[in-house]
């Protein structure tokens, strides 16, 4: 089994990566392979359909037909993964711009190919300085719920507080919540794939 984490932060290895890795640590403890993709290292262009061009070129295809950025390579990894963690810090009270582009692309390809994400296990996490964490997690959850993924929760909202890189490690309750999320995700993956 494998879980892919998508870090929508503009900071490589920042707070969002740290909380995804906290979930990963529990998954790995249960023998589940993990991989982190950091969108700040990638180019993800906006969906041409969502930009009003109505290309619909992905209809009947297993991915977006435009190969001029990094989206298709990431989407191939999502297709073969058993689980998906979407993570974003709060920018302007919601997800980052690159995460919005990514969700729009995933959403459109998956609307036209609903079986690709159906029944995969998913979780959303957010690193937040002060507020907007629930909106961010909600935005990420909407994609997964709309695509018939099985969304995993924890014993509190999947939010960890911290401003500067590394601050999230001092939010003991938030980090414990991430570890619990990883345990719940591992349990569900084992039940579904057992």
């Amino acid at each position: 089994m494998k879980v892919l984490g998508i870090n929508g932060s503009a900071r490589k290895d920042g707070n969002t990566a740290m909380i995804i890795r906290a979930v990963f640590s529990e998954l790995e403890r249960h023998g589940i392979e993990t991989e982190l993709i950091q969108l700040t290292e990638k180019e993800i262009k906006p969906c041409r359909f969502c930009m009003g061009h109505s290309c619909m070129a992905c209809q009947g295809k297993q991915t977006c037909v435009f190969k001029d950025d990094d989206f298709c390579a990431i989407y191939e990894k999502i297709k073969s993964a058993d689980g998906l963690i979407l993570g974003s810090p709060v920018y302007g009270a919601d997800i980052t711009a690159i995460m919005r582009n990514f969700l729009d692309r995933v959403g459109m390809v998956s609307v036209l190919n609903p079986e690709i994400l159906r029944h995969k296990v998913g979780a959303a996490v957010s690193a937040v300085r002060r507020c907007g964490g629930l909106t961010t997690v909600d935005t990420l959850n909407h994609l997964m719920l709309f695509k018939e993924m099985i969304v995993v929760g924890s014993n509190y909202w999947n939010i960890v507080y911290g401003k500067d890189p590394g601050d999230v490690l001092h939010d003991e309750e938030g980090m414990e919540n991430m570890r619990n999320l990883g345990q719940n995700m591992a349990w569900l993956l084992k039940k579904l794939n057992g």
Side-chain angles (χ1 to χ4, degrees):
M1 290 178 286
K2 182 172 183 177
V3 172
L4 190 66
I6 307 293
N7 176 12
S9 177
R11 287 183 176 156
K12 180 183 177 186
D13 295 324
N15 286 327
T16 305
M18 289 176 199
I19 65 175
I20 293 172
R21 285 188 175 114
V23 179
F24 278 1
S25 69
E26 291 301 317
L27 294 169
E28 291 163 0
R29 198 168 62 78
H30 288 274
I32 298 168
E33 183 183 350
T34 62
E35 180 182 352
L36 179 63
I37 294 175
Q38 305 205 54
L39 294 182
T40 193
E41 299 179 314
K42 308 294 182 186
E43 181 183 13
I44 306 294
K45 293 182 179 178
C47 177
R48 286 164 174 88
F49 176 80
C50 295
M51 291 174 52
H53 298 296
S54 299
C55 80
M56 302 295 282
C58 52
Q59 188 165 9
K61 309 290 191 278
Q62 291 292 303
T63 192
C64 180
V65 299
F66 297 101
K67 312 286 187 204
D68 56 348
D69 67 1
D70 296 307
F71 174 78
C72 291
I74 297 170
Y75 197 69
E76 288 303 312
K77 291 183 179 202
I78 290 172
K79 285 166 48 177
S80 64
D82 301 290
L84 181 63
I85 298 172
L86 298 175
S88 178
V90 176
Y91 278 31
D94 208 336
I95 60 174
T96 61
I98 195 166
M99 182 58 90
R100 168 55 59 206
N101 285 350
F102 183 75
L103 293 183
D104 286 347
R105 298 276 294 278
V106 169
M108 185 49 60
V109 173
S110 300
V111 161
L112 300 169
N113 300 282
E115 72 286 348
I116 291 173
L117 295 178
R118 184 180 292 140
H119 302 149
K120 288 187 186 287
V121 175
V125 299
S126 180
V128 57
R129 179 186 69 86
R130 190 172 198 102
C131 61
L134 282 178
T135 304
T136 299
V137 168
D138 190 44
T139 297
L140 299 170
N141 278 338
H142 274 114
L143 172 89
M144 294 185 280
L145 291 168
F146 181 53
K147 303 306 169 204
E148 299 180 74
M149 292 178 67
I150 303 166
V151 178
V152 177
S154 189
N155 56 6
Y156 201 69
W157 306 115
N158 298 338
I159 300 166
V160 185
Y161 290 91
K163 178 185 175 205
D164 296 320
D167 281 355
V168 291
L169 301 175
H170 304 296
D171 179 1
E172 293 178 19
E173 181 182 3
M175 293 305 286
E176 178 56 35
N177 193 45
M178 293 299 105
R179 288 186 287 274
N180 188 66
L181 177 64
Q183 292 167 13
N184 290 344
M185 195 171 206
W187 179 86
L188 182 56
L189 283 163
K190 287 181 176 183
K191 290 290 184 184
L192 293 172
N193 293 288

